[in-house]
């Protein structure tokens, strides 16, 4: 983005993608996972991308987090072009600007909970004392006090995902990406993760979450329906003027 | 409304307003609140059909209240109700009729119908999540009612995805 562009737009969106395309080739067969996606996410929004498995929604999230490269299209994070970044630059971005949580947590298995959370803070340049303070604050917030010395294998799935959330948020990234964050959790763990995402969102955290679970999606302010590599609908939830009798209809019992 | 009222009376005699409060307490805020007039009308009909028996009780400062109890026929009706399996909901679906008829009429597009319906379901899902959060955590019956509604909606949303796959 040029300086002239920057002065024209007061506040750039947190994330802007234009014309994203990604095609996978395996055994000479092409599979188009993402076929021309435009996306704009404002600061403070909580957006869910939902759709059937195989629709390409995880690929989209991987492109936006720099874990995979688009064939074409542009990505801007906080107004800055990032699709042109090299591997090293993306690694820095994922440390400071973007936090990511995955379905299977991806914690470092031979590090303690405390070290899993402090490591990205240290890598981003925090002093050991700052890293420890941030870790303590986040773990307390996420109800994980007393688990500092545990290894990931000693925790339940829900607890591991909370550690992953702490790790993703320890450097206060502008954008949190979540890829099926409750995909491997039971219903209690799911509710817990959802409650925490909503809480961070209420404090201003921008979140983009990919999920096939409508209950998860409905916690977001905006739900993008992804289908066959394309956005087929983009709906703001909780808007005014809509019919509210839906709940009673759904709950009506016979008798 | 008939059978839930009979079932509540299986516990012991009660008057109309007590029954309304008992239903509300049991089912929580998610269930459409019964209107007290409807309850009195239903009790009246149940009495006429011999399933319950009413008796007026004098109150010093207020009008008499009528206390109802189950008759033997009423007990039998409650037993029969619990023994019968219950029809699954939504065998007829108005949205499905719209979807099926849209191409014939030329006034609506199937994919737009699906998208609009999905938005509606997602908003309902959101309302249910809010209700679940507002409802007393310990009211397990009310929480299960809401969870059941959410699972139905999830199935409806999955089915919309199938429609989109087939019709896109």
């Amino acid at each position: 983005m040029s300086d002239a562009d920057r002065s024209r737009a007061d506040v750039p969106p947190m994330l802007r993608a234009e014309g994203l395309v990604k095609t996978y080739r395996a055994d000479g067969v092409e599979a188009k996972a993402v076929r021309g996606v435009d996306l704009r996410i404002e600061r403070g929004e909580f957006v869910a991308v939902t759709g059937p498995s195989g629709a390409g929604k995880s690929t989209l999230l991987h492109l936006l987090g720099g874990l995979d490269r688009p064939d074409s299209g542009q990505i801007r994070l906080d107004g800055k072009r990032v699709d042109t970044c090299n591997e090293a630059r993306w690694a820095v971005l994922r440390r400071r600007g973007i936090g990511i949580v995955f379905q299977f947590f991806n914690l470092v298995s031979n590090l303690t909970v405390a070290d899993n959370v402090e490591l990205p803070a240290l890598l981003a340049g925090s002093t050991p004392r700052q890293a420890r303070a941030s870790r303590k604050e986040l773990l307390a917030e996420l109800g994980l006090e007393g688990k500092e010395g545990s290894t990931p294998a000693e925790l339940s799935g829900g607890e591991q995902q909370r550690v992953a959330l702490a790790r993703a948020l320890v450097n206060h990234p502008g954008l949190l990406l979540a890829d099926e964050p409750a995909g491997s959790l039971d219903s209690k763990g799911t509710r817990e993760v959802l409650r925490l995402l909503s809480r961070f969102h209420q404090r201003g955290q921008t979140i983009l979450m990919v999920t096939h679970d409508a209950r998860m999606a409905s916690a977001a302010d905006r739900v993008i329906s992804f289908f066959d590599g394309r956005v087929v609908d983009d709906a703001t939830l909780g808007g005014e003027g809509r019919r509210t009798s839906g709940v009673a209809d759904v709950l009506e019992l016979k008798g | 409304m008939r059978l839930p009222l009979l079932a509540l009376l299986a516990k012991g005699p009660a008057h109309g307003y007590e029954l309304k409060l008992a239903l509300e307490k049991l089912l929580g805020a998610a269930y459409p609140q019964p209107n007290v007039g409807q309850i009195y009308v239903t009790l009246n009909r149940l009495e006429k059909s011999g399933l319950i028996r009413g008796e007026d009780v004098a109150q010093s400062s207020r009008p008499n209240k009528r206390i109802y109890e189950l008759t033997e026929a009423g007990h039998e009706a409650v037993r029969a109700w619990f023994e019968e399996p219950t029809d699954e909901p939504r065998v007829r679906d108005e949205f499905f009729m719209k979807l099926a008829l849209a191409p014939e009429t030329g006034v609506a597009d199937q994919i737009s119908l699906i998208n609009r319906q999905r938005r509606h379901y997602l908003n309902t899902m959101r309302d249910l999540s809010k209700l679940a959060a507002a409802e007393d955590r310990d009211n397990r019956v009310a929480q299960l009612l809401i969870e059941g509604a959410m699972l139905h909606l999830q199935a409806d949303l999955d089915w919309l995805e199938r429609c989109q796959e087939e019709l896109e």
Side-chain angles (χ1 to χ4, degrees):
Chain A
M1 193 187 259
S2 71
D3 286 334
D5 284 339
R6 193 167 293 127
S7 64
R8 238 178 280 141
D10 288 321
V11 186
M14 182 54 72
L15 185 73
R16 179 107 178 81
E18 286 172 294
L20 282 188
V21 173
K22 178 69 185 177
T23 306
Y24 289 109
R25 287 173 194 83
D27 304 327
V29 182
E30 284 198 351
K32 285 207 162 86
V34 173
R35 28 177 106 206
V37 168
D38 297 326
L39 191 64
R40 185 187 167 102
I41 293 171
E42 303 298 339
R43 234 159 271 269
E45 270 194 304
F46 182 2
V47 179
V49 177
T50 188
S53 59
K57 51 193 195 304
S58 278
T59 301
L60 176 65
L61 184 132
H62 285 204
L63 294 178
L64 298 174
L67 301 170
D68 210 343
R69 295 310 162 84
D71 301 336
S72 58
Q74 298 187 353
I75 304 170
R76 285 186 174 81
L77 184 69
D78 206 4
K80 293 181 208 63
R81 265 305 273 280
V82 293
D83 55 277
T84 49
C85 290
N86 60 22
E87 224 38 79
R89 182 75 198 122
W90 265 114
V92 171
L93 273 174
R94 280 194 299 273
R95 229 171 270 148
R96 298 166 191 273
I98 303 177
I100 310 184
V101 288
F102 301 92
Q103 178 173 357
F104 297 105
F105 328 128
N106 296 10
L107 297 170
V108 182
S109 60
N110 56 356
L111 290 185
T112 62
V113 165
D115 288 344
N116 263 285
V117 179
E118 286 179 34
L119 184 62
L122 295 170
L123 289 171
S126 293
T127 64
R129 181 207 286 263
Q130 287 167 337
R132 199 157 48 239
S134 305
R135 178 264 293 172
K136 275 190 176 158
E137 191 187 326
L138 270 165
L139 291 185
E141 167 101 58
L142 295 169
L144 290 166
E145 276 166 319
K147 304 282 186 187
E148 293 82 357
S150 305
T151 59
E154 293 168 331
L155 304 180
S156 71
E159 288 169 335
Q160 290 186 60
Q161 193 58 301
R162 278 184 273 156
V163 176
L165 200 53
R167 178 185 58 182
L169 294 173
V170 72
N171 292 325
H172 308 286
L175 177 65
L176 176 68
L177 299 176
D179 188 4
E180 298 281 7
S184 57
L185 302 182
D186 60 12
S187 67
K188 182 164 167 276
T190 300
R191 275 200 302 274
E192 190 61 25
V193 164
L194 209 46
R195 195 175 60 77
L196 291 167
L197 287 177
S198 297
R199 190 197 292 174
F200 287 111
H201 167 233
Q202 274 159 16
R203 285 191 209 146
Q205 179 68 51
T206 310
I207 305 173
L208 178 72
M209 170 176 70
V210 158
T211 180
H212 70 282
D213 181 337
R215 281 175 288 176
M216 296 284 290
S218 70
D221 304 322
R222 218 175 114 197
V223 178
I224 291 173
S225 299
F226 209 61
F227 205 83
D228 201 14
R230 268 190 278 254
V231 172
V232 294
D233 197 32
D234 187 340
T236 299
L237 300 189
E240 286 167 35
R242 59 178 211 86
R243 210 159 63 88
T244 49
S245 64
V247 176
D249 288 348
V250 172
L251 287 167
E252 194 129 15
L253 301 182
K254 197 191 164 202
Chain B
M1 184 60 68
R2 286 173 65 244
L3 284 150
L5 288 178
L6 284 179
L8 280 175
L9 284 169
K11 208 165 63 171
H15 58 82
Y17 196 68
E18 278 173 338
L19 293 172
K20 173 182 158 64
L21 294 182
L23 267 182
E24 283 176 5
K25 183 156 178 281
L26 180 70
L27 301 173
Y31 194 77
Q33 299 296 308
N35 127 359
V36 75
Q38 205 186 333
I39 288 180
Y40 286 125
V41 169
T42 309
L43 287 170
N44 212 332
R45 286 198 195 127
L46 288 170
E47 188 173 9
K48 279 187 184 139
S49 53
L51 295 172
I52 58 176
R53 159 182 339 113
E55 193 184 335
D56 283 327
V57 174
Q59 297 194 105
S60 53
S61 58
R62 300 159 80 185
N64 293 350
K65 63 181 177 187
R66 198 161 177 78
I67 305 263
Y68 294 96
E69 62 176 339
L70 284 187
T71 61
E72 192 40 51
H75 275 290
E76 189 43 50
V78 173
R79 272 193 295 271
W81 185 51
F82 280 113
E83 270 172 30
E84 278 268 300
T86 310
D87 284 343
E88 58 284 355
R90 294 173 162 274
V91 273
R92 288 172 298 144
D93 189 311
E94 189 180 355
F95 173 73
F96 184 72
M97 293 308 285
K98 289 182 186 174
L99 193 66
L101 288 166
E104 317 290 325
T105 58
V107 290
D109 164 66
Q110 285 179 316
I111 298 300
S112 315
L113 279 176
I114 291 170
N115 284 340
R116 198 175 309 133
Q117 195 67 14
R118 186 192 299 108
R119 289 176 181 214
H120 177 65
Y121 287 159
L122 285 168
N123 271 308
T124 307
M125 189 73 96
R126 189 181 174 87
D127 292 344
L128 286 167
S129 302
K130 283 192 184 144
L131 271 176
E135 186 62 66
D136 180 3
R137 279 238 150 267
D138 297 327
N139 189 344
R140 282 153 71 191
V141 169
Q143 291 288 351
L144 284 169
L145 179 71
I146 296 169
E147 197 174 337
M150 289 177 131
L151 289 168
H152 276 290
L153 267 178
Q154 177 77 60
D156 286 329
L157 281 157
D158 289 347
W159 177 71
L160 280 184
E161 254 173 37
R162 284 288 306 127
C163 293
Q164 190 132 18
E165 272 172 3
E166 294 295 326
L167 302 171
E168 179 101 314

